[in-house]
Amino acid sequence: MGALRPGRLMRRRRSQGGWAAVPWWAWGIGAFAGVSGLWRAAELWPAWTGIALTAGVVGLGLKPGRLAVQRWTDRSALTAGPVRYSLAHLDALDPRAFELAVCSLLRRDGLTAEHVGRAGDKGADVLVVDRSRRRVVVQCKRLRPDRRVGDQDVQRVNGTYRHDHGAHFAVIVTTGGFTAAARASGPRYGIRLVDRDALERWADLGEPLYGILRVPDADARRRRWAPGSWRRDTH
């Protein structure tokens, strides 16, 4: 399951975006210019250059600096443009890379998505603002295909997605499946579940996540029932 099928290999080629799209020679020119500028500054203002470098190193060592570097590296790792991932590819990712892949897929769907997964994330790996301006919490579970997300994980997300993140609903995405208890409690708490089969439809076959989950688009509903618009929709 998850193997590439003939005739679809070309469709799965992902365009690389962010800093990954910068060619190696551009990196070389930039590095040379940066080193030359730093050398020149050290010659002209040695004391101030030393202070600036020390402050930069100390700043990167503090928590705000580390978080800023992590956000920068996350943005550079996100794929731009049309993306598709086979299940085999997703299975080979580590948990953090899987979170970034999910973030890229959400952006592919036209949603505003930010990767926030880290220690103390309170159940949120990706935060989303959709076209209806609803906030959505996405929890990612990169598991073996035979593993299941249990009801305790659903309860944990339920305890945080509204109160801590102010979200309208939550989504749990996994490369495995869900236990019967998790499937029973998820919808009751406003938590949508994306199992391996739904993930393949979304990541590999290109179906929009909201269509798979049957999440209504409030903006589309308002447009449909705007004054004078109902006549056009009936034809």
Side-chain angles (χ1 to χ4, degrees):
M1 192 171 184
L4 294 178
R5 287 188 281 273
R8 293 168 55 193
L9 180 61
M10 294 299 294
R11 289 195 294 119
R12 293 210 181 84
R13 289 186 177 174
R14 295 178 290 115
S15 59
Q16 297 297 316
W19 295 106
V22 179
W24 64 268
W25 53 265
W27 283 109
I29 294 174
F32 178 78
V35 171
S36 299
L38 185 61
W39 186 273
R40 182 60 175 167
E43 289 181 337
L44 297 175
W45 309 287
W48 287 109
T49 303
I51 293 173
L53 289 174
T54 302
V57 171
V58 172
L60 291 176
L62 298 177
K63 185 176 180 179
R66 294 198 304 271
L67 292 178
V69 171
Q70 183 177 3
R71 285 193 294 268
W72 182 83
T73 55
D74 285 350
R75 283 195 297 270
S76 66
L78 290 172
T79 304
V83 293
R84 289 192 181 178
Y85 302 103
S86 68
L87 289 178
H89 176 84
L90 296 175
D91 287 337
L93 299 178
D94 60 43
R96 182 172 174 274
F98 178 60
E99 294 169 7
L100 292 171
V102 168
C103 189
S104 292
L105 288 167
L106 290 163
R107 292 184 177 186
R108 181 197 71 185
D109 285 357
L111 307 175
T112 301
E114 178 186 3
H115 176 245
V116 295
R118 59 182 64 91
D121 58 22
K122 296 184 178 180
D125 293 320
V126 181
L127 292 179
V128 174
V129 177
D130 65 18
R131 289 180 290 270
S132 300
R133 298 184 179 178
R134 293 170 294 198
R135 290 175 60 84
V136 183
V137 162
V138 180
Q139 172 70 221
C140 304
K141 296 290 185 183
R142 217 289 294 160
L143 305 175
R144 294 200 311 263
D146 60 333
R147 297 292 299 273
R148 300 290 180 266
V149 177
D151 186 55
Q152 69 275 11
D153 296 298
V154 174
Q155 299 289 347
R156 191 175 300 115
V157 173
N158 178 53
T160 60
Y161 83 84
R162 286 183 294 258
H163 301 296
D164 291 285
H165 302 290
H168 290 76
F169 63 91
V171 180
I172 301 178
V173 182
T174 181
T175 49
F178 293 92
T179 64
R183 290 188 179 278
S185 62
R188 188 165 64 248
Y189 298 132
I191 301 174
R192 272 75 169 182
L193 307 179
V194 179
D195 62 10
R196 189 172 181 84
D197 291 337
L199 179 60
E200 182 178 32
R201 292 170 58 191
W202 181 36
D204 194 12
L205 303 183
E207 296 183 38
L209 180 63
Y210 273 28
I212 296 171
L213 298 178
R214 298 182 180 179
V215 176
D217 186 338
D219 279 351
R221 192 161 56 245
R222 283 195 293 269
R223 288 193 300 270
R224 186 178 302 118
W225 295 107
S229 64
W230 66 274
R231 297 179 186 277
R232 291 191 297 271
D233 292 335
T234 59
H235 293 285

